[in-house]
Amino acid sequence: MDLKGRDFLKLLDFSPEEILYLLDLAARLKDKKKKGIPVDTLRGKNVALIFEKTSTRTRCAFETAAHDLGMGTTYLDPSGSQIGKKESIADTARVLSGMFEGIEYRGYGQEIVEEIARYAHVPVWNGLTNEFHPTQMLADLLTVREHFGRLKGIRLTYLGDARYNTGNSLMVACAKMGMHFTACTDPKYFPGRELTGQCREIARQTGGSVTLTSDPEAGTKGADVICTDVWVSMGEPDEIWEERIRDLRPYQVNAHVMENAGQQAVFMHCLPAFHDLKTAIGAQIAEKFGITEMEVTDEVFESPQSLVFQEAENRMHTIKAVMAATLGAGELS
């Protein structure tokens, strides 16, 4: 399968077969990494990493993956790029296209990464936008397949705020791969109607399903995978924190949720997670709102059912697959 020159902006742009190809490539690259077999077939190439929103996992995954493939990286943090400020998005895309073989963008609206891709003449990769998080989804799918040996028919329930990138993207990923997706949350945090309808049509063709429910008991019963994400983004005002904590507390992932799902269930989270008081933000949450754990309890996070660190590692392997495939890294089988 030839994906050379393709952008990687959202999973809606890719067929189930193309997604499986990327997962298979990631698995082969992971195996080579573990065996110490080099795959540096892209020596001499360079990629630009634009981070309007910082991230530990995404930056490390892109930089390490690029290095393993033999490439150099230039990291542009929120203060290191003039994109949309002194220089238009279109101009930035064209400038960087002349210096780099690929461009990653992590930041705000999906329309920004789409515009970069429109004007760039090199592959553009979405490291996260408000609406979609496709590199995380490949890591999640690889992790699920490694654990269960398959994707089709797996039941995945997402608890929390399902309106944005993680909830949206999990719904798309499950629909594409014939999985059964459930968003379990207060109705005002359901994914948008248009995307939900689109995913239901995709799922109808792949044998999957999309369910929205506000009932935690019904929504998690028999689930193979329980997923969640942080309830509030950093920088949002206290009143938003208070509202989210009040609304989403019934959808915390705890021991009862995992027991209700069953012994086969695993827990996944894209990280960072507020499961204890060992971070400055966690301590502030406890002081302001009187809770020591938010979207997931420490008991579940640290349990044998938790796959969060395997999931985090897989960010690097799947991002490497995306870059290798879209830049034409040659035969890596």
Side-chain angles (χ1 to χ4, degrees):
M1 186 171 292
D2 185 8
L3 299 181
K4 185 176 181 180
R6 288 275 298 274
D7 299 315
F8 189 73
L9 308 181
K10 56 186 184 298
L11 287 191
L12 286 170
D13 300 332
F14 289 78
S15 69
E17 293 75 21
E18 289 170 334
I19 295 169
L20 280 174
Y21 170 77
L22 289 171
L23 294 177
D24 290 343
L25 178 56
R28 295 198 300 271
L29 289 169
K30 182 174 182 177
D31 182 62
K32 289 178 181 292
K33 176 84 169 178
K34 299 296 184 183
K35 293 177 179 176
I37 301 172
V39 293
D40 53 344
T41 59
L42 293 176
R43 289 184 300 274
K45 296 185 183 296
N46 295 280
V47 295
L49 309 178
I50 304 173
F51 278 68
E52 292 195 297
K53 288 183 179 178
T54 57
S55 168
T56 301
R57 280 151 302 284
T58 303
R59 178 181 179 179
C60 291
F62 267 100
E63 289 189 338
T64 304
H67 180 269
D68 283 357
L69 290 168
M71 297 191 291
T73 60
T74 296
Y75 174 74
L76 301 170
D77 66 16
S79 64
S81 168
Q82 298 300 333
I83 184 169
K85 303 167 193 170
K86 293 182 180 179
E87 187 167 54
S88 71
I89 294 169
D91 288 357
T92 299
R94 287 177 287 190
V95 167
L96 295 180
S97 292
M99 301 179 183
F100 298 93
E101 279 74 29
I103 302 169
E104 180 270 354
Y105 173 82
R106 177 184 173 93
Y108 297 95
Q110 180 72 14
E111 69 276 3
I112 299 174
V113 75
E114 299 276 355
E115 185 172 0
I116 294 171
R118 188 178 312 121
Y119 287 96
H121 55 261
V122 298
V124 174
W125 311 299
N126 180 359
L128 172 141
T129 62
N130 293 340
E131 294 83 4
F132 295 108
H133 199 357
T135 59
Q136 180 67 53
M137 293 309 104
L138 288 183
D140 289 359
L141 291 173
L142 182 62
T143 305
V144 170
R145 193 175 72 169
E146 286 176 338
H147 185 82
F148 291 101
R150 72 186 200 283
L151 292 173
K152 194 170 184 65
I154 292 292
R155 298 184 176 276
L156 183 148
T157 295
Y158 177 83
L159 294 98
D161 190 344
R163 299 171 297 173
Y164 301 117
N165 44 49
T166 301
N168 285 344
S169 296
L170 281 170
M171 182 168 62
V172 172
C174 289
K176 286 280 186 177
M177 307 317 296
M179 299 165 64
H180 302 287
F181 173 81
T182 298
C184 184
T185 186
D186 185 290
K188 71 181 182 181
Y189 299 104
F190 284 163
R193 288 185 180 181
E194 182 178 350
L195 183 61
T196 299
Q198 190 174 2
C199 288
R200 281 179 167 152
E201 176 56 28
I202 294 170
R204 187 185 66 79
Q205 300 172 27
T206 62
S209 65
V210 172
T211 301
L212 309 182
T213 181
S214 59
D215 184 344
E217 293 293 319
T220 60
K221 187 70 175 176
D224 299 304
V225 184
I226 299 292
C227 289
T228 191
D229 194 4
V230 293
W231 290 344
V232 190
S233 296
M234 298 302 98
E236 294 193 90
D238 283 357
E239 55 266 26
I240 296 295
W241 284 82
E242 291 172 349
E243 178 185 20
R244 298 276 176 81
I245 291 170
R246 181 184 66 248
D247 292 343
L248 296 176
R249 208 162 188 177
Y251 304 98
Q252 181 190 66
V253 180
N254 51 39
H256 175 72
V257 164
M258 300 305 294
E259 290 166 6
N260 187 54
Q263 292 183 345
Q264 81 293 339
V266 296
F267 170 71
M268 294 174 60
H269 190 307
C270 63
L271 304 181
F274 296 127
H275 61 99
D276 58 25
L277 302 180
K278 296 177 182 178
T279 64
I281 299 297
Q284 290 173 20
I285 292 170
E287 183 178 350
K288 288 183 178 180
F289 307 109
I291 58 172
T292 58
E293 303 159 311
M294 198 156 58
E295 74 275 9
V296 59
T297 62
D298 194 58
E299 179 182 12
V300 170
F301 187 88
E302 297 290 355
S303 73
Q305 291 171 290
S306 176
L307 302 183
V308 296
F309 296 111
Q310 178 182 343
E311 180 186 6
E313 179 191 333
N314 281 339
R315 291 295 306 284
M316 188 267 289
H317 303 299
T318 49
I319 284 171
K320 189 189 297 183
V322 169
M323 291 196 293
T326 57
L327 292 177
E331 183 55 51
L332 293 172
S333 61

